[in-house]
Amino acid sequence: PLEESKEITKLRIFDFDDTIAFTTSRVYIKTPEKEELPPMEQQAFDAFLNKQKKGVEELETDGYSFDFSEYSKVNNPQLNNKVVSHLKRIVNKNKTKPTRAIYVMTARAPEAKGAIVKYLSDEGFKSNDFAGVLTLAGGSKKDAIAGLIKQHPNVNSIAFWDDSDRNISDVQQLRSMYPEMDIQINHVIDGSPNPVEEGALNERLGPVGYHVTNEKNRDSIIKTGVKGSKESADQVNPDY
């Protein structure tokens, strides 16, 4: 992995679930009365949290318990070629001009890191293609990226890919924190990355780190990818 380097001027950061790959995992929940709720996949879990209007930590304080053990594995992964095509192109560019620190940044817990690394290896990526696979356990991606900026003090450009509305909104705050920096944010919607202009996101926000997947379009995305907006990442910044 890349260490701190004066040569690093670009951060390229990719979420994992429903961004690099579509996966299936379930959350197991017990209520304060010890009732076991039906196992929830991501979309149902998002709806549950939104209905409660609280995050996981608050609900745990209220007496709920959550089992995220399935998220320590990469279950039934299907590569999202629409995003991975960008990732592969960036990795290849970095081999000839290594000015980019490329990260996979996930809301999963640290136990998932090994499974993610193995999956990326199975898909043909090498360990030195990435500066790191960062597991935030539901923490703020904005804060994590701010830490990377400190680690790489000469960074002047960031590009970020994520499907979570909340993560996109969180990372948008970096634009006011670093007004001189080129910060490109790609909201992955139905598998397709869409550039987000400053102040453009105005959607219902869920808890940090949890993803909303449109299952209706999942199969077609896996097979063929989904055409992005006219202002695709390639057109906005072909160098990336």
Side-chain angles (χ1 to χ4, degrees):
L2 295 170
E3 302 295 336
E4 178 177 334
S5 172
K6 293 181 180 179
E7 295 181 359
I8 297 300
T9 60
K10 301 177 181 181
L11 298 179
R12 301 296 181 251
I13 301 164
F14 292 81
D15 174 48
F16 183 70
D17 293 286
D18 297 335
T19 298
I20 288 177
F22 298 100
T23 58
T24 58
S25 297
R26 295 180 297 179
V27 182
Y28 297 84
I29 304 172
K30 286 185 180 180
T31 69
E33 296 75 32
K34 307 304 179 185
E35 176 190 358
E36 294 186 3
L37 301 182
M40 298 182 189
E41 293 191 358
Q42 193 63 62
Q43 201 167 16
F45 186 56
D46 286 336
F48 169 79
L49 292 171
N50 285 325
K51 183 178 180 180
Q52 299 296 321
K53 298 182 179 179
K54 292 182 178 181
V56 171
E57 290 184 1
E58 293 175 288
L59 289 172
E60 286 177 331
T61 300
D62 292 344
Y64 283 85
S65 64
F66 298 89
D67 178 357
F68 294 98
S69 59
E70 287 193 7
Y71 281 88
S72 65
K73 308 170 186 176
V74 176
N75 292 326
N76 304 315
Q78 298 289 337
L79 203 66
N80 180 7
N81 289 305
K82 187 64 183 177
V83 169
V84 172
S85 62
H86 293 293
L87 175 56
K88 287 180 177 179
R89 178 169 49 80
I90 292 166
V91 165
N92 287 333
K93 283 180 177 289
N94 223 34
K95 291 175 180 178
T96 56
K97 192 176 181 182
T99 58
R100 305 161 186 81
I102 304 168
Y103 291 91
V104 175
M105 182 179 287
T106 174
R108 290 183 183 227
E111 303 86 76
K113 182 175 179 177
I116 292 172
V117 168
K118 182 180 185 303
Y119 175 72
L120 293 170
S121 175
D122 290 345
E123 291 296 334
F125 291 100
K126 302 184 184 305
S127 60
N128 61 3
D129 288 337
F130 300 98
V133 173
L134 307 181
T135 54
L136 305 185
S140 166
K141 293 195 175 184
K142 170 192 61 112
D143 293 345
I145 294 170
L148 294 178
I149 293 170
K150 290 181 180 178
Q151 182 180 341
H152 302 290
N154 291 321
V155 162
N156 55 36
S157 169
I158 297 172
F160 176 77
W161 288 257
D162 202 300
D163 70 294
S164 164
D165 293 350
R166 184 59 179 265
N167 289 339
I168 293 294
S169 184
D170 188 39
V171 170
Q172 275 188 288
Q173 296 177 60
L174 293 171
R175 287 173 165 164
S176 58
M177 294 169 61
Y178 303 95
E180 302 303 317
M181 192 173 296
D182 174 27
I183 300 178
Q184 301 169 41
I185 298 173
N186 297 283
H187 192 190
V188 179
I189 301 173
D190 299 345
S192 179
N194 297 268
V196 176
E197 299 303 324
E198 191 163 0
L201 187 69
N202 184 21
E203 303 180 35
R204 173 183 57 79
L205 300 181
V208 169
Y210 294 104
H211 306 274
V212 177
T213 303
N214 187 334
E215 298 294 340
K216 179 179 179 181
N217 294 323
R218 175 186 165 113
D219 290 341
S220 64
I221 294 164
I222 291 167
K223 292 177 182 176
T224 63
V226 176
K227 186 176 181 181
S229 67
K230 292 180 181 178
E231 296 269 347
S232 71
D234 282 334
Q235 292 166 314
V236 172
N237 186 350
D239 178 56
Y240 250 23

